[in-house]
Amino acid sequence: MARNPDHRARPEPAGAKGRRFLAMIGNAHIDPVWLWRWPEGYQEVRATFRSAVERMREYPEFVFTCDSVAHYAWVEESDPELFEEVRALVAEGRWELAGGWWVEPDCNLPCGESFVRQALYGQRWLHQRFGRIATVGANIDPFGHNATLPQILRSSGIDTYLFLRPGAHELRLPAGGFWWSSPDGSRVLAYRVPHEYQTPGTALDEHVAAALDELPDDFDELACLYGVGNHGGGPTRANLDSIRRIAARGEPAPMACSTARGFFDRLLERGGELPEVAGELQHHAVGCYSAHAGVKRWNRRAESLLLAAERWAAVATVVTGQPPATAELGHAWRQVLLNQFHDTLGGTAIEAAYEDARDQLGEAAAVAGRIATRSVQALSRRVRIEPGPGMTPVVAFNSLPWPVTADLEVEVQVSGRSAPDRATDERGHELPLQTVRPPSTVPGWRHRMVLPVELPPLGYRTYRLYAGGGAGEAGLVAAPDGGPGGAVAAGGGTSARPAPPREVRPGEPVVLESARLRVTVDPESCWLASLFDRGGGAELLPETVEPHAVVLADATDTWSHGALAYENETGAFECESVRLLEDGPVRRTVRIVSRYHDSTLTEDLLLGLSGTIEVRATLDWHERLALLKLRFPTAFRDVTATFEIPYGHLERPATGVEEPAGSWVDVSGTTPGGHRAGLALLNDGKHAFDVRSGRIGMTVARGSVYAWHEPRALDPGEDYPYLDQGVQRFTYRLLPHLGDWRAAGVARAAAELNQPPLAVVESPHPGPLAQREWFATAEPASVLLSVVKLAEDDGALGGDPRGDLVVRAYETAGRPAATATIDLPMLGRRFRTSFGAHQIRTFRVPADPAEPVVETNLLEWPPERA
């Protein structure tokens, strides 16, 4: 990779050749949000930049390294004159552009595409303003680093990586500098900053000595970061005077002011073999995987909505000529990226900071919702729909580029006539239809229906609801307790009106059935007593029913410093009631209510024709210095625990350690009957899990104090604000499977939970579009097409970018896909390629069919351009 010639270390002192050399990297780590809200961080960035410029005037040898592109953007918009001074210093080689990302995010919790966007928007911004990008990655303050980062860094123009945590007491590394590799084989040269990334404003003698104490004696090239940080400030006169003094005497090591790039180049030029470290860099601050459930749910929702909105915006532009929404989507993404800052998304900021996060992530979600709505309705209004008596057309949209089977909920307004009692697809085939309770209490005006749908990949399908023409009751599979199951017999559709909830008698089990599963709910424990896979004849749960909602004492600080697991159980939620809430031809729903002290957990367990077990949970949490885990035991032996990580997966030991994960966790093993089977837990906004002996635990609430950092002890008389108090809502699904999780399509199933189908209630009208259409897909199933978007508008590859698509896919199974096909019928394009195990690949697909498909890096540039 080409390096900027001005990113060199200052000359080392005479006589230092062959001796340990210490590169002093001046910086000012700035938390835009932490113990303050973002407006204060905004000002502190500007003040720090001004201070750095002034120190450069006074100390010709001083060079300054700064990451977080958002900080530059803030200065450009608030103080253009200062920004121009910074531009001049960058051109001189005295101000180093590092990081290349919008902020230093939490490096475990965002989805894979969010890490791509940190670089896409950050690096392109730098290139537009400075004519160059960062080649040194810098995530110095985050609390751990996921295993796919080397691949993402490499594909965004970055070949080196600075970090601090986990520290030497938390993770043993073979050297301070090492090659860090991801599962696909990509690697970057990484360096763990010794001691600290920041210093007081005084002399640096103690700081330098402490840093050297953490480094091996046989390591020649060393780097030490200095400068007042967290709330900004940067290197001070006292810092720089002490560097002059220490450098003059050459002890405890020769040193000079340097850039990070200069340090890494020296490290490479020294030659010799550096050790290699594969996989994730963990653990530090495991409490951050669960602290502040709200921000984690807001973030996941915004990510999911933006990915879906981008796909529909691309389709609408290509198919209908709707103007591109690239600028709006870019703004929304940058709001998400800002709030993925490690102290914000990690849940460790002050309480008031989350009012801002809620609003900013809400703005991103609103932008995504607006773009998706206008895009899908630009399509639905062009669908040719013939009128019919008593007919209401519904166009169902699937934003995912593979076929999706789901139980679709749709609400219709039928003023002056009865509710729909029949449903058909676009070919006139009858479908089951069930009326469920609408959110409104106004009687007889609006009706909420649920029907099973099979939707094409990144496409739509038209359904019809009819009033007054029901085909009678469909047959139902009888459950062992005599109640109806979920499977529908052959024949016409039916509509079942919502029945009054039925309280389950004491000791009476509730049995729910689908064609594949039989689920038994135990009214004594308020949880599952049996999960039976009918196809394989395998019971997946242990004989003994274990507590489901378990409370554990948590006296750790917000970060849970020093902890790796939560094991001090203090009790469990006790069953209050079990009610059969819905009982119809499409799904049955059981409402389970349990309590612990002043806290209440309500879980609506749904089993529908699609065969998924969905749980819609409402938690009203009022416990302090305690956390709630939902536990999901299995009967498996010889367990393998697999966790989703950004753009990949990772197996970890099933030892009960609190681990970060994305939208799914799977345990697979052998049942007592000798079957290979597994259970995947899918979620829509949780990130903290443990697996022990085949049992998955999901942390859903922590009652720690906001921004509480050890060694501060809590005052018993103080009225502190506590995390996660009050009501939160979340949804999870249980996906039992025989065999391997890969064959069960777990990665796709998790995306289906987070990006559900969208229904548009239409009216009859003429139009040029068919009633069923699809726009993009990829095969084989192990290749997940994650991004379909319009290309960023800069003509990077020549030509008019309007209508050019960028598609991104990654290999999910950890096995090479020698032949993969990406199909984009909306452009009339279909191309074949291949994927290595765990590989992420990006392609630009021109709208002009005469132009070839071109592979790009993650910045949407040819790889050689970076």
Side-chain angles (χ1 to χ4, degrees), residues 406-407 423 543 761:
D407 296 333
E543 293 182 3
V761 178

Side-chain angles (χ1 to χ4, degrees), residues 73-208:
W74 285 353
V75 170
E76 182 189 40
E77 69 183 10
S78 65
D79 193 339
E81 294 82 4
L82 175 59
F83 184 73
E84 288 305 315
E85 293 183 73
V86 171
R87 280 167 54 98
L89 289 165
V90 170
E92 292 175 20
R94 298 190 61 200
W95 186 300
E96 180 182 27
L97 305 175
W101 287 9
W102 202 247
V103 297
E104 288 188 19
D106 182 283
C107 289
N108 283 308
L109 308 185
C111 72
E113 188 58 26
S114 285
F115 288 102
V116 172
R117 300 309 171 99
Q118 289 283 352
L120 176 72
Y121 295 116
Q123 293 279 55
R124 292 173 72 99
W125 195 96
L126 292 177
H127 191 268
Q128 289 166 359
R129 269 64 171 190
F130 298 99
R132 66 187 68 184
I133 63 173
T135 61
V136 175
N139 280 310
I140 301 166
D141 200 20
F143 313 131
H145 308 264
N146 76 74
T148 54
L149 282 184
Q151 182 178 185
I152 292 171
L153 291 164
R154 269 289 182 179
S155 191
S156 54
I158 293 171
D159 62 353
T160 53
Y161 194 64
L162 280 174
F163 72 100
L164 174 71
R165 301 188 179 93
H169 64 293
E170 297 166 316
L171 176 68
R172 293 188 62 183
L173 292 171
F178 57 92
W179 290 107
W180 181 30
S181 62
S182 58
D184 78 306
S186 300
R187 67 179 193 172
V188 294
L189 182 57
Y191 182 77
R192 180 162 64 187
V193 175
H195 183 49
E196 256 292 358
Y197 57 75
Q198 64 163 340
T199 59
T202 54
L204 298 178
D205 301 73
E206 292 184 7
H207 176 70
V208 169

Side-chain angles (χ1 to χ4, degrees), residues 561-583:
H561 282 117
L564 287 178
Y566 303 105
E567 300 179 318
N568 185 10
E569 296 183 24
T570 59
F573 277 65
E574 296 183 357
C575 195
E576 181 176 278
S577 65
V578 176
R579 292 191 296 167
L580 188 60
L581 203 63
E582 297 174 347
D583 191 357

Side-chain angles (χ1 to χ4, degrees), residues 821-842:
T821 302
I822 296 176
D823 206 345
L824 300 166
M826 60 178 157
L827 290 181
R829 306 296 293 259
R830 190 170 192 253
F831 62 96
R832 289 184 172 84
T833 184
S834 62
F835 283 77
H838 307 280
Q839 188 178 21
I840 307 164
R841 297 189 70 186
T842 305

Side-chain angles (χ1 to χ4, degrees), residues 194-268:
H195 183 49
E196 256 292 358
Y197 57 75
Q198 64 163 340
T199 59
T202 54
L204 298 178
D205 301 73
E206 292 184 7
H207 176 70
V208 169
L212 290 174
D213 283 346
E214 288 192 8
L215 292 166
D217 292 334
D218 59 352
F219 204 65
D220 292 329
E221 296 299 329
L222 312 171
C224 181
L225 272 64
Y226 72 98
V228 180
N230 286 344
H231 199 253
T236 65
R237 294 185 180 91
N239 290 164
L240 293 162
D241 287 342
S242 66
I243 291 175
R244 285 180 172 179
R245 174 173 45 79
I246 298 170
R249 72 170 186 253
E251 295 294 339
M255 68 169 60
C257 292
S258 175
T259 60
R261 179 77 261 171
F263 162 70
F264 279 116
D265 286 349
R266 288 176 56 91
L267 191 59
L268 289 170

Side-chain angles (χ1 to χ4, degrees), residues 470-547:
E473 294 296 321
L476 299 172
V477 173
D481 66 346
V488 176
T494 184
S495 173
R497 306 257 179 222
R502 180 174 69 82
E503 197 84 18
V504 174
R505 294 186 296 271
E508 175 190 6
V510 180
V511 180
L512 311 178
E513 277 196 279
S514 70
R516 199 180 133 247
L517 298 174
R518 185 172 69 239
V519 181
T520 304
V521 179
D522 173 25
E524 300 298 326
S525 67
C526 265
W527 194 237
L528 306 187
S530 174
L531 178 54
F532 188 77
D533 190 299
R534 299 172 66 182
E539 174 59 58
L540 306 184
L541 300 189
E543 293 182 3
T544 304
V545 179
E546 301 180 17

Side-chain angles (χ1 to χ4, degrees), residues 547-571:
H548 168 58
V550 179
V551 179
L552 299 98
D554 177 19
T556 62
D557 67 10
T558 317
W559 290 256
S560 290
H561 282 117
L564 287 178
Y566 303 105
E567 300 179 318
N568 185 10
E569 296 183 24
T570 59

